[in-house]
Amino acid sequence: MSRRISRTSLAGLLLAALLAVLGVACSGPDRTAASDCPDDAPTCPASRSSAPPSAAAPTAAGQASGSPAASPSPTEKPTATAGAGSPSGTPAAKTACASPGACGFPDASTTGPRIPLEPHKTGYMAVRTDGLVIRGWDITGSLDIYANDVTVIDTKITSDNWWGINLRPGYSGLRVLHSTITAVPGKGPDNGGVDYAVSNMGGSSVEVGWCDVSVFGDALSMGQGNLHDNYVHDLVPFVNLGGEWQHTNTVISGGGNTGELIIRHNTLLNPTSLTQGASGSIGLFADTGVVRNVTVDNNWIAGGAYALYGGSTGATGIKVTDNVFSTQYHPASGGYGVVAHWNHGGAGNVWRNNRMSDGRPIEPEPAP
């Protein structure tokens, strides 16, 4: 005769199995690789990130057991003021918040390392080992990447070099996750200034996610990449070696890219004054070629001469959607306005559901 199990006993068995799974997630040598898994936590709390983790990678000593995937747009966005919905039916991003964090955008509490760090005074460090994972380091110095599939995770970098992390041409697969990248003002090589927090000199995509980035003049510099869930703030202006104020941008692309640049769910703050070299919060410039295939989606953006430079004549595939342009530094978000050099007629260019932080809708002027 088969034996019946009562509903109460079955629930107890299921609860015990669940607790066992959670205990495994917060135990063992890779315990800290789980997102938001404090050392003293009996179970792992819900992830603070808007993105699920990616498939686990092979583990080696000192390496992360896995890393989060790129963050999608939030599945639910609070609606702005009445009548502010997107023509496509997507609710507008929440506006009229006291801070980016109050609107659900990244800040210091949702970015940077999640584990204790060990000091490493590396100075300039050339990385030449494919697949290397740097995790849990407090680096005084900079990383120059001559290798494929390098991951920097749960790490802090304080640089006095041209960059914090730089990917050289011919290499690919760089990921920079849950890290703080900053610099020492007045100690950099560009007449005391420092230029790039993460620089992509190659033709492949770089992922930068859940990072706290500050000080550098052009903080995230790349033609192709996946920039998500980052907090970029407190850029420090400086007079460069040419004797001019260095132009500052939280994200900058010089055009000529062959891949796609995704800028999604970041807080991008450029407080630089107009007299000290402010350029854009996001600067898409046709300096080295045509700007193409850029997605700017669901970001909190403030500051710069213009908050967004849109790629100018010839720019195609530029999608700017569901962003909040904050009046934190200027009434028009940027000192001169929200957006400049937007190519209305460019194939695949989309401007949709972008709002000021007080709820006003924004429509760009045509490029000159």
Side-chain angles (χ1 to χ4, degrees):
M1 179 184 295
S2 63
R3 196 170 155 191
R4 298 181 64 187
I5 300 176
S6 71
R7 295 177 65 180
T8 301
S9 299
L10 181 60
L13 289 173
L14 290 174
L15 178 60
L18 178 59
L19 290 174
V21 171
L22 290 174
V24 170
C26 281
S27 64
D30 294 305
R31 184 173 180 228
T32 52
S35 177
D36 298 307
C37 189
D39 289 339
D40 57 352
T43 61
C44 293
S47 172
R48 68 188 175 186
S49 167
S50 62
S54 63
T59 303
Q63 294 187 357
S65 61
S67 60
S71 169
S73 297
T75 55
E76 295 183 6
K77 298 176 189 172
T79 305
T81 54
S86 163
S88 66
T90 302
K94 187 178 179 183
T95 57
C97 300
S99 66
C103 268
F105 290 93
D107 60 16
S109 70
T110 60
T111 56
R114 304 159 296 174
I115 62 176
L117 305 181
E118 178 183 347
H120 287 261
K121 294 184 178 180
T122 65
Y124 167 84
M125 177 178 172
V127 176
R128 303 182 185 275
T129 303
D130 288 350
L132 179 68
V133 175
I134 295 175
R135 185 169 187 266
W137 288 21
D138 185 349
I139 294 172
T140 302
S142 60
L143 302 177
D144 201 3
I145 312 298
Y146 294 84
N148 298 310
D149 303 320
V150 172
T151 298
V152 180
I153 185 169
D154 289 318
T155 287
K156 180 179 179 181
I157 295 175
T158 304
S159 174
D160 59 1
N161 202 340
W162 295 97
W163 57 75
I165 303 173
N166 180 48
L167 180 66
R168 291 288 177 170
Y171 299 95
S172 64
L174 174 64
R175 296 186 300 172
V176 184
L177 308 171
H178 294 289
S179 294
T180 294
I181 309 167
T182 189
V184 182
K187 299 295 185 180
D190 196 354
N191 201 28
V194 284
D195 290 275
Y196 312 111
V198 180
S199 169
N200 182 4
M201 297 176 68
S204 66
S205 182
V206 167
E207 181 183 2
V208 183
W210 303 282
C211 288
D212 184 323
V213 180
S214 62
V215 179
F216 293 90
D218 284 323
L220 302 176
S221 175
M222 59 194 68
Q224 43 271 316
N226 184 2
L227 313 177
H228 61 87
D229 300 285
N230 300 294
Y231 175 45
V232 186
H233 60 102
D234 294 311
L235 307 187
V236 175
F238 60 92
V239 176
N240 60 26
L241 290 171
E244 301 175 338
W245 284 104
Q246 174 72 19
H247 289 165
T248 59
N249 301 270
T250 62
V251 178
I252 185 170
S253 175
N257 57 301
T258 56
E260 184 178 11
L261 177 60
I262 299 171
I263 307 167
R264 175 169 285 134
H265 197 240
N266 303 279
T267 297
L268 304 173
L269 308 178
N270 185 352
T272 309
S273 74
L274 296 175
T275 60
Q276 292 182 304
S279 181
S281 185
I282 298 176
L284 307 178
F285 302 112
D287 293 339
T288 58
V290 173
V291 179
R292 58 173 70 89
N293 301 330
V294 180
T295 295
V296 180
D297 176 64
N298 191 33
N299 300 280
W300 180 281
I301 303 169
Y306 286 91
L308 170 67
Y309 285 82
S312 197
T313 304
T316 60
I318 315 300
K319 301 177 179 65
V320 183
T321 57
D322 296 309
N323 297 284
V324 176
F325 288 87
S326 170
T327 59
Q328 178 174 348
Y329 304 119
H330 307 285
S333 192
Y336 298 130
V338 171
V339 57
H341 303 292
W342 173 255
N343 183 16
H344 276 272
N349 290 353
V350 176
W351 181 281
R352 184 179 64 243
N353 200 31
N354 299 294
R355 304 272 156 181
M356 298 295 293
S357 53
D358 58 12
R360 288 174 291 152
I362 303 163
E363 290 297 330
E365 296 180 0

